[in-house]
Amino acid sequence: MAETVLETVNLTMRFGGVTACDNVDFSLKARELRCLIGPNGAGKTTFFKCLTGLLTPTEGQVIMRGEETTNWDTHVIASEGVGIKTQVPNVLDGVSVQENIWLAARRFCSSADASRKTEEVIDRLSLSTIATSEVGRLAHGERQRVELGIVAAGDPWLVLLDEPAAGMTSDDVEQMIEIIHDMTKTAAVIIVEHDMQFIRSVATEVTVFHQGRILMEDHVDTVMSDPTVRNVYLGKKA
Amino acid sequence: MREITLQRFAIALVIAGIVMTLLPLMVGTYTLTLLLVYGMLAMSLGLIWGFGGILCFGQAAFFGLGAYAYAIAAINFGESTVPMIIAVLVPAAFAAVLGGMMFYGRLGDVYLGVITLVVTLIFFKFMNSTAGPEYVIGTARLGGFNGIPGYQTLNVPGLPEQYIYGDSLYYVTFIALFVVYWLVNWVLQSPFGRVAVAIRENEQRASLMGYDIRARKTVLFAVGGAIAGLAGAFYANWAEIVTPGLFSLGQSAEIIIWCIVGGLGTRLGPILGAAGLAYLKFKLGQQMLIDNAVITGIILVLFVLFLPKGLVPAIEKIWRLSVGRKRGRRPARSRRGRAASHG
Ligand SMILES: Nc1ncnc2c1ncn2[C@@H]1O[C@H](COP(=O)(O)OP(=O)(O)OP(=O)(O)O)[C@@H](O)[C@H]1O
Ligand SMILES: [Mg+2]
């Protein structure tokens, strides 16, 4: 059985009167692929932000590979090998695709190795036709792919993807699924998604967030047929 | 890659040599030296603002600090070599401390602007109030609003009697500007410079890539302070007097305007903007018809409205369009394949 690489204990994040994450106990094993679902405002993005140091949790702990990282700075957590694709596209718009990926790779190796890594990632993510384009001029789906490239370039052991398929064409999505499967060879991956078909095609284990808490955690089929989940989540959507 | 850099360096060296020789045929070296000093000052802000995204409203503070540090050190030491070094180190150290406090304190851009502005004002007020005999550093009196005159100006290193002034000061300043320009170039091409651009583009993404943006911004800010300080030292040698006016807000505002007009995010733009606008000011200063500040203001407004990216990007665009047409290519397409981080 693989070891636990990520754990949160009583993780709580309050914004004034709003409790976005409420006593979340979560754990993830090495190279596990997990989907995080839940209605709008359930606290999924806030949870990711607490994991990456973009927010400092009000209470509770984050433990990564046996070390408590709760109050660590974002860049330190990232340097440890945690990659995130944020919900809002988060790329370097004014420079080329190549430069984006090179900069991400350069943090972990020499310039020459970073150039090699850049080529490899560009190849793997089929970005070669747009490699020299300025990222700000690209289409939404392409930018999402560039951001995935940035994440991949760092060889992370933990990958957080916040709605990676949002606004993408079905071809893009298929490619995205391939890339994600590729990533799970070396990394544990958590994906926040609303698209049920997407979830079914990538994950077996699903965690349901509702009002800042973990409502349920089980196999995708069990979760989908659960009446409570249908009520808070699917019921609203349909 | 290295060969290309060498080749480019050789070409730049030749061009710089030609420009250096031709300029004095058109403009007096006394005026030219000042234009070069302003060019270097503009480059310091062009580096931290154009490539690091740090808009500093108080670049004049480091300029003035460099000039004062030079004057005070020159009075105390006599020979100019050590004072020149001190004039770089003092503003750099001050910028490192000030920058560290601002960046580690996670101040927003607006507060950063306000604080650098206020720091400049404090220097201005303080230097103005140092007329009394109690304000001395070593043997140098600060002199209040009268400033500090009568210090040792630039000499051949080790030979305090061999002054570098007039035409020679122009050539030395030109070479210094060229050297600093290539150092800045080198920094911008290094991983440090490329990460600085990443921070300018998106701070959050840069830190999610694992870069410590606070430390990097502090270092970049200090480098900017050092270059502004060096410009201040050359100014002190040119003017042979330093006064609190160096710390004026007008001076700080002008540096910003030079960068905008010349082209922010380009390496040559701020230098050209500074030299061009300062020369214009000098020419306009000889007539009484229109106020100088009004002209500068009008130029700024015209640029913001019609050439918001500044002079150098506009020239580049015209160049690309004409070359693109000659090659029978659609210019719009050639633009798309451009890696746009370096100007
Ligand atoms: N910076 C903030 N300040 C105040 N409230 C916030 C902040 N960020 C999030 N919230 C609130 O916290 C709750 C959880 O938001 P969060 O963005 O984490 O939800 P989510 O599950 O990602 O939703 P979605 O599916 O819409 O992306 C919401 O009620 C939101 O309004
Ligand atoms: Mg969200």
Side-chain angles (χ1 to χ4, degrees):
Chain A
M1 201 59 200
E3 80 277 29
T4 300
V5 288
L6 171 70
E7 206 181 343
T8 68
V9 184
N10 290 329
L11 192 74
T12 302
M13 184 74 221
R14 276 189 279 270
F15 300 105
V18 182
T19 306
C21 288
D22 193 356
N23 272 301
V24 176
D25 291 313
F26 180 89
S27 82
L28 191 73
K29 297 203 174 343
R31 289 182 300 282
E32 187 179 343
L33 175 61
R34 182 79 64 89
C35 269
L36 214 58
I37 65 169
N40 294 115
K44 307 175 297 288
T45 298
T46 305
F47 180 64
F48 272 9
K49 284 184 177 171
C50 288
L51 296 182
T52 48
L54 292 172
L55 286 172
T56 309
T58 323
E59 271 165 54
Q61 293 172 307
V62 180
I63 297 151
M64 290 181 175
R65 300 198 290 190
E67 237 179 323
E68 188 181 342
T69 61
T70 317
N71 295 309
W72 288 15
D73 283 326
T74 300
H75 72 269
V76 180
I77 295 173
S79 303
E80 289 289 311
V82 177
I84 179 170
K85 196 209 89 60
T86 53
Q87 185 167 357
V88 189
N90 208 342
V91 287
L92 312 175
D93 275 334
V95 299
S96 68
V97 173
Q98 258 171 351
E99 186 73 0
N100 267 271
I101 293 167
W102 186 87
L103 282 161
R106 180 61 177 75
R107 178 64 190 84
F108 301 95
C109 58
S110 69
S111 294
D113 287 343
S115 299
R116 229 165 290 139
K117 183 91 205 167
T118 304
E119 273 177 39
E120 187 191 308
V121 170
I122 284 177
D123 198 44
R124 184 144 57 97
L125 271 68
S126 323
L127 291 166
S128 47
T129 51
I130 51 168
T132 54
S133 305
E134 202 176 301
V135 174
R137 294 161 182 269
L138 298 177
H140 178 74
E142 291 171 322
R143 280 155 56 91
Q144 299 258 62
R145 208 135 40 88
V146 171
E147 199 169 346
L148 221 54
I150 290 172
V151 171
D155 279 331
W157 59 267
L158 175 63
V159 174
L160 310 174
L161 304 173
D162 203 342
E163 306 197 9
M168 287 186 128
T169 64
S170 56
D171 281 353
D172 280 339
V173 172
E174 235 165 77
Q175 194 179 16
M176 177 76 68
I177 290 169
E178 231 171 86
I179 295 166
I180 290 169
H181 274 301
D182 204 31
M183 280 177 164
T184 53
K185 284 177 196 155
T186 53
V189 181
I190 311 178
I191 307 171
V192 167
E193 250 314 324
H194 287 295
D195 184 339
M196 286 305 149
Q197 249 178 323
F198 183 93
I199 294 164
R200 276 183 193 282
S201 58
V202 291
T204 50
E205 287 298 302
V206 173
T207 300
V208 186
F209 261 56
H210 181 53
Q211 292 177 348
R213 291 179 208 202
I214 294 180
L215 180 73
M216 190 181 181
E217 215 164 51
D218 215 318
H219 190 272
V220 61
D221 295 327
T222 323
V223 167
M224 293 302 162
S225 54
D226 188 89
T228 329
V229 173
R230 287 189 154 271
N231 192 27
V232 303
Y233 191 65
L234 302 173
K236 260 181 206 167
K237 278 208 109 182
Chain B
M1 188 68 193
R2 178 155 295 159
E3 273 158 31
I4 295 170
T5 318
L6 259 175
Q7 194 187 354
R8 282 184 59 178
F9 181 76
I11 293 170
L13 200 65
V14 170
I15 293 175
I18 294 170
V19 171
M20 182 172 76
T21 336
L22 288 183
L23 279 179
L25 302 178
M26 298 175 272
V27 185
T29 52
Y30 184 72
T31 309
L32 281 177
T33 306
L34 184 62
L35 300 185
L36 295 174
V37 166
Y38 284 161
M40 195 185 289
L41 178 56
M43 186 162 53
S44 75
L45 183 66
L47 172 66
I48 65 166
W49 185 20
F51 293 96
I54 307 167
L55 174 50
C56 172
F57 276 102
Q59 205 63 10
F62 307 122
F63 181 64
L65 207 55
Y68 265 90
Y70 177 82
I72 292 164
I75 287 177
N76 281 294
F77 298 118
E79 209 260 355
S80 71
T81 314
V82 174
M84 284 302 278
I85 295 168
I86 289 177
V88 174
L89 292 184
V90 169
F94 180 69
V97 172
L98 180 68
M101 282 181 348
M102 294 188 303
F103 301 128
Y104 281 84
R106 297 176 195 278
L107 287 189
D109 291 342
V110 176
Y111 289 99
L112 194 138
V114 172
I115 284 181
T116 51
L117 197 88
V118 169
V119 164
T120 317
L121 254 179
I122 291 172
F123 270 112
F124 181 68
K125 289 279 178 199
F126 173 73
M127 283 304 174
N128 262 315
S129 67
T130 56
E134 67 274 26
Y135 292 105
V136 284
I137 297 178
T139 52
R141 275 188 59 180
L142 295 182
F145 50 83
N146 288 321
I148 308 175
Y151 43 83
Q152 169 86 14
T153 55
L154 199 64
N155 56 252
V156 177
L159 302 171
E161 309 285 292
Q162 296 279 334
Y163 290 106
I164 298 170
Y165 67 102
D167 287 353
S168 346
L169 181 61
Y170 159 72
Y171 289 113
V172 169
T173 313
F174 196 105
I175 292 165
L177 179 62
F178 183 78
V179 169
V180 173
Y181 177 77
W182 271 96
L183 284 178
V184 166
N185 250 329
W186 174 74
V187 167
L188 288 175
Q189 275 165 11
S190 73
F192 178 82
R194 289 163 80 171
V195 174
V197 171
I199 293 170
R200 173 195 75 188
E201 285 298 315
N202 186 340
E203 276 193 19
Q204 192 179 75
R205 180 39 82 189
S207 53
L208 287 173
M209 284 175 175
Y211 295 108
D212 185 349
I213 55 174
R214 297 163 305 180
R216 282 166 184 274
K217 280 174 113 175
T218 304
V219 172
L220 188 70
F221 198 61
V223 172
I227 297 171
L230 184 66
F234 276 106
Y235 179 87
N237 281 300
W238 173 84
E240 302 187 4
I241 183 169
V242 295
T243 60
L246 289 169
F247 295 107
S248 70
L249 294 183
Q251 178 76 75
S252 276
E254 251 176 300
I255 308 170
I256 292 171
I257 296 172
W258 294 337
C259 287
I260 294 173
V261 169
L264 202 61
T266 68
R267 283 166 286 192
L268 214 47
I271 301 176
L272 296 180
L277 285 181
Y279 184 65
L280 194 70
K281 190 176 172 182
F282 165 75
K283 278 286 171 195
L284 290 172
Q286 294 169 341
Q287 52 89 41
M288 304 295 285
L289 210 60
I290 329 163
D291 186 60
N292 240 324
V294 174
I295 301 286
T296 313
I298 291 174
I299 290 175
L300 176 65
V301 170
L302 288 179
F303 264 87
V304 169
L305 287 179
F306 299 109
L307 286 179
K309 286 188 170 169
L311 205 58
V312 168
I315 294 170
E316 273 177 359
K317 195 172 177 181
I318 292 169
W319 172 261
R320 239 192 337 265
L321 283 176
S322 59
V323 171
R325 193 164 303 150
K326 248 179 239 159
R327 288 182 191 166
R329 225 193 301 148
R330 284 232 320 273
R333 187 168 292 171
S334 70
R335 256 190 84 82
R336 205 165 191 246
R338 182 177 57 107
S341 69
H342 307 297

